[in-house]
Amino acid sequence: MNKKSWPQTAGALLLSAMIGGCASFGPDVTPEQALSAEQLKLAAPGKQSVSTDWWRQLNDPALNRLVEATLQDAPSLKLAAARLRQARAAVGIVESKDGPQLDATANAVDLHYDPLQPLLKKDHLTAYTAALVGSWEFDFWGKNHAAVSAALGQQQAIAYEGQQTRLLLTQAVLAQYTQLQRNQAQAKLISQRLAVAESRRALTQARVNAGLLPGDNQRGNEVSIDRLQQQQSALNADIERNRHALAALTGQGPQAAASLDAAPLALPPAPALDSLNADLLGRRPDIAAQRARVESMSQSVKEARAEFYPNVKLTAFAGQSSLELDQLWKSNSSLWGFMPAISLPIFHSGQLQSNLAKQQAGYDMAVQQYNQTVVDALRDSADSVSGWQSSQRQLQQAERALNSSRRASDAMAARLRAGLVNKLSLLDAQDAQLSQQSIYIDAMAANRLAWASLNTALGGGFQTEPATR
């Protein structure tokens, strides 16, 4: 292209931009608005910090090993990692459109023609061509930039969804491990209660044999023993299911945790908690993922708007072309060219307007999904807070009842030594104490599960990070 042609090209570009600026985008649509902390009546930031390895606060090495194995080998996390790699590759594909392109081409074209032409002695010839073709599309209106930003937003959303999967897996491991602790503790208590019931049956049988009690007094003892044995069998089955679930969470076969014995139940540390506040909107990976999708869809809307403006593309080529293969690489067979091109959409039967409307609807859908996620997350968090507070009260009540039953059992033992009651009364008091201890174990397990649920609901120490290319 010579220097005289540049003004004409610039003028054509300017005219195209003016025409493109007047293109119809279709009816204006008011975009949906995301819920704000003020609309949700959330308090200012307070004490809700959660450690990223919050489960380690329980000081249980067996639990730590299970969580680490799950976070390393769980198939769902490997799937999330593969989805993230795919999203990063998609970003690279979109980014490539914003840079120069270079291709090598080689072809041979066989041309057939009328043999009656006087100047030619044969009815066909072959044209050989080898060339490098380069092109560059200018992003004057931000179309490619918006596409890259949209792809990065999708990548970020997928990364945050992987963090949500990681958090839920950790909660699932802790829940199954806590149930295993609870079931093992209850199984030990059932064994103690069976021993007490056997002692009661033996003592009752001795009294029946001595004629001090009627024979039907033994039926109640037999029913109690049968019921306790049934509970023991059910607990053993639950223990096996807990072990199978933990093995599956770590990505192993069902027998991988067959010999796992959980540590005794221990109370979790009390979290530093005021009330639900605005920090929660940025400390949950599920909310962050939906917000990233909203931002991605807003960039997709910008990309769709840029489709209405003219497109400027520069193409250049250089190579060799000849009708004879042995002459292809001669100097007189070289060719080159430079082709600036401007394309302006004028009439596409509503395609561009429909695409813009589609992206705007997608943005509105993303906003409403974000709003629903926020509402559900706040409900979940409020339930977790109230659940934790309720479990604390129930635990305290169960502890007071257990202490009372222990005192009653000790008093009954003292009365037995003083000869004021018989041993059957002491066995009844001991069984009542063990029964109340079972209620206390359930309260401890419920408190542990509520603590895990609260840490999960508050984000599990999640921190947002910018998307990387």
Side-chain angles (χ1 to χ4, degrees):
M1 180 180 293
N2 57 39
K3 295 182 178 179
K4 292 182 179 180
S5 63
W6 281 107
Q8 288 85 348
T9 302
L13 178 59
L14 179 60
L15 178 61
S16 299
M18 293 174 62
I19 297 175
C22 298
S24 172
F25 293 99
D28 291 335
V29 178
T30 302
E32 298 288 346
Q33 298 296 322
L35 293 173
S36 64
E38 292 77 11
Q39 291 173 301
L40 296 168
K41 302 184 184 326
L42 295 179
K47 298 177 181 178
Q48 284 188 358
S49 59
V50 178
S51 173
T52 55
D53 53 353
W54 49 274
W55 66 89
R56 293 186 181 276
Q57 299 177 44
L58 298 174
N59 296 319
D60 190 331
L63 174 62
N64 294 341
R65 287 193 296 270
L66 285 170
V67 173
E68 290 169 0
T70 299
L71 298 183
Q72 180 177 356
D73 299 323
S76 55
L77 281 181
K78 293 181 179 180
L79 173 62
R83 290 183 64 220
L84 181 58
R85 293 196 304 271
Q86 185 182 53
R88 285 175 175 165
V91 173
I93 293 173
V94 176
E95 280 185 322
S96 66
K97 298 179 181 179
D98 199 29
Q101 312 289 320
L102 182 64
D103 296 298
T105 179
N107 58 68
V109 181
D110 196 25
L111 303 175
H112 292 264
Y113 50 86
D114 188 353
L116 299 179
Q117 293 184 17
L119 299 180
L120 300 174
K121 306 300 183 183
K122 52 185 179 179
D123 61 355
H124 74 281
L125 57 81
T126 304
Y128 302 94
T129 303
L132 292 176
V133 181
S135 63
W136 192 0
E137 182 178 325
F138 289 93
D139 190 24
F140 286 114
W141 322 113
K143 173 186 171 183
N144 294 338
H145 178 76
V148 171
S149 298
L152 282 172
Q154 291 294 330
Q155 172 192 320
Q156 196 168 41
I158 290 173
Y160 291 161
E161 287 171 353
Q163 291 295 322
Q164 178 71 7
T165 301
R166 175 188 176 94
L167 179 59
L168 294 179
L169 278 174
T170 302
Q171 182 190 19
V173 171
L174 198 148
Q176 288 294 335
Y177 185 79
T178 299
Q179 288 294 343
L180 177 61
Q181 291 176 303
R182 178 259 178 197
N183 292 332
Q184 287 183 339
Q186 292 288 15
K188 291 179 181 178
L189 274 183
I190 292 293
S191 298
Q192 296 177 27
R193 292 187 66 187
L194 276 171
V196 171
E198 291 288 354
S199 298
R200 187 191 295 115
R201 182 171 63 175
L203 185 58
T204 301
Q205 187 62 44
R207 289 173 176 257
V208 170
N209 294 338
L212 300 176
L213 291 174
D216 57 359
N217 275 25
Q218 194 66 280
R219 295 175 183 172
N221 294 328
E222 293 173 351
V223 170
S224 297
I225 290 175
D226 290 339
R227 185 182 298 115
L228 289 172
Q229 288 176 342
Q230 182 182 10
Q231 293 176 7
Q232 189 175 51
S233 298
L235 284 170
N236 290 334
D238 289 340
I239 288 173
E240 291 301 312
R241 282 193 289 269
N242 294 143
R243 288 170 173 166
H244 296 164
L246 287 170
L249 286 168
T250 57
Q252 303 179 77
Q255 301 305 317
S259 60
L260 175 64
D261 285 324
L265 267 173
L267 294 178
L273 179 67
D274 290 343
S275 60
L276 298 184
N277 57 59
D279 269 359
L280 185 64
L281 297 181
R283 292 186 179 273
R284 282 183 57 122
D286 54 345
I287 295 179
Q290 289 300 329
R291 185 168 58 241
R293 293 198 183 280
V294 170
E295 295 170 355
S296 173
M297 288 307 304
S298 69
Q299 295 297 324
S300 295
V301 172
K302 293 180 181 179
E303 180 186 2
R305 285 185 176 275
E307 292 282 359
F308 287 83
Y309 294 102
N311 181 54
V312 180
K313 185 175 183 180
L314 299 180
T315 303
F317 64 90
Q320 302 289 114
S321 181
S322 176
L323 297 178
E324 300 293 339
L325 184 59
D326 58 353
Q327 300 295 317
L328 180 61
W329 301 109
K330 302 294 184 180
S331 60
N332 55 2
S333 299
S334 62
L335 76 162
W336 62 274
F338 180 66
M339 298 178 295
I342 300 174
S343 61
L344 172 67
I346 297 177
F347 179 72
H348 284 221
S349 299
Q351 176 189 4
L352 300 182
Q353 288 84 353
S354 297
N355 181 56
L356 176 59
K358 174 186 175 183
Q359 299 303 329
Q360 289 173 333
Y363 172 80
D364 292 341
M365 290 169 58
V367 169
Q368 294 307 328
Q369 288 173 351
Y370 169 80
N371 290 341
Q372 188 63 55
T373 302
V374 168
V375 172
D376 291 343
L378 290 177
R379 181 204 60 201
D380 177 43
S381 301
D383 288 346
S384 298
V385 171
S386 60
W388 162 254
Q389 295 170 342
S390 175
S391 71
Q392 284 284 85
R393 291 191 296 269
Q394 293 176 21
L395 182 64
Q396 293 170 359
Q397 294 164 357
E399 186 177 13
R400 288 196 296 268
L402 177 60
N403 292 333
S404 297
S405 66
R406 284 172 177 168
R407 288 194 294 269
S409 179
D410 292 342
M412 193 62 66
R415 296 182 69 183
L416 177 64
R417 289 192 296 271
L420 300 178
V421 295
N422 57 37
K423 191 173 181 180
L424 283 175
S425 299
L426 175 62
L427 292 176
D428 289 340
Q430 290 176 341
D431 186 68
Q433 176 190 341
L434 292 174
S435 178
Q436 186 57 48
Q437 189 173 350
S438 173
I439 295 175
Y440 179 69
I441 289 174
D442 284 346
M444 288 182 66
N447 184 254
R448 278 274 292 266
L449 293 175
W451 178 81
S453 177
L454 180 60
N455 280 277
T456 303
L458 297 180
F462 167 76
Q463 297 291 337
T464 58
E465 296 179 358
T468 57
R469 286 172 168 78

